[in-house]
Amino acid sequence: MSVYARNMSAYTPIVKSNLLMPSESSARWQECNCLALRQAARHVTQFYDQYLASTGLRTTQFSILAKLQGLGPMTINALARELVMDRTTLGRTMLPLERDGLIAIRDGILDRRSKELAVTKAGAERLRRAAKLWVEAQKEFEERFDPRRAADLRGLLSEVVACDLEKPQAAPVSRRQSARTRLA
């Protein structure tokens, strides 16, 4: 397993690559879909972040601005669903955008108890500048990874997002069955 840390614009290994996780399933950790997806996501995010750095936006913030610009004002819950993101994580990620005046948080139009997010003029301008750099990152990624494979990857990842991955609920256990289980 290799873990990398960013050090002076270079990636330096900080864990020996031959170490295994100490468990009976350590031989299968390389088959972990979640780990593979998260590593790939971090790797690609770091790549795009390098391109966007001069705008002061991170990839996650760019995504928030792009969704809001494309879909128009929406509630925090609706945006979290669109981004497949936890609401509290979205809340922390958008705070710097609000602080910098790139998004505005207003009372909801339909329900004044809800909060609606919208891109400000400053946010639209920052997004416009960042979009040019995003296009460069997108082009470079596709040149390195292959345009057809990149399109296939996006298709597969869209299918993953659309797949129902909710954990099945356990069947309710009656009190009598529960008592028998404890006595056994």
Side-chain angles (χ1 to χ4, degrees):
M1 178 168 108
S2 292
V3 177
Y4 292 90
R6 185 130 188 230
N7 182 10
M8 302 291 292
S9 298
Y11 293 94
T12 307
I14 59 173
V15 175
K16 291 183 181 180
S17 60
N18 62 351
L19 295 178
L20 294 176
M21 288 189 258
S23 72
E24 291 179 20
S25 63
S26 63
R28 295 194 46 145
W29 70 269
Q30 292 176 333
E31 297 173 16
C32 179
N33 299 313
C34 185
L35 175 63
L37 283 166
R38 290 180 62 84
Q39 285 177 322
R42 285 190 293 268
H43 183 65
V44 173
T45 297
Q46 290 168 359
F47 174 76
Y48 277 73
D49 279 346
Q50 291 172 14
Y51 276 84
L52 297 177
S54 66
T55 66
L57 292 176
R58 298 189 54 88
T59 308
T60 50
Q61 296 167 327
F62 175 83
S63 298
I64 291 169
L65 289 174
K67 278 287 185 186
L68 285 174
Q69 183 76 6
L71 299 175
M74 61 178 46
T75 65
I76 294 171
N77 287 338
L79 181 59
R81 280 191 303 274
E82 279 292 323
L83 294 168
V84 190
M85 200 173 193
D86 181 73
R87 187 190 185 287
T88 57
T89 303
L90 174 60
R92 286 190 305 273
T93 305
M94 64 184 213
L95 286 176
L97 296 173
E98 180 189 21
R99 180 197 64 218
D100 296 344
L102 304 179
I103 62 170
I105 302 176
R106 304 181 194 117
D107 290 336
I109 295 171
L110 299 175
D111 182 354
R112 300 196 47 82
R113 294 172 296 175
S114 68
K115 298 296 179 194
E116 220 171 59
L117 309 173
V119 177
T120 63
K121 286 183 181 183
E125 174 57 28
R126 180 86 59 94
L127 179 61
R128 188 188 62 72
R129 287 188 298 135
K132 291 178 183 177
L133 298 171
W134 176 87
V135 167
E136 289 179 30
Q138 188 80 351
K139 181 180 174 189
E140 183 68 25
F141 177 84
E142 290 195 1
E143 284 177 10
R144 292 184 189 192
F145 194 69
D146 180 68
R148 174 184 269 156
R149 289 176 64 208
D152 290 345
L153 177 63
R154 286 189 304 275
L156 286 170
L157 293 173
S158 291
E159 289 178 34
V160 169
V161 171
C163 180
D164 179 16
L165 293 178
E166 292 291 322
K167 182 179 177 185
Q169 295 295 321
V173 177
S174 72
R175 289 184 188 178
R176 187 175 285 169
Q177 281 178 313
S178 180
R180 279 188 221 142
T181 304
R182 284 190 299 249
L183 296 174

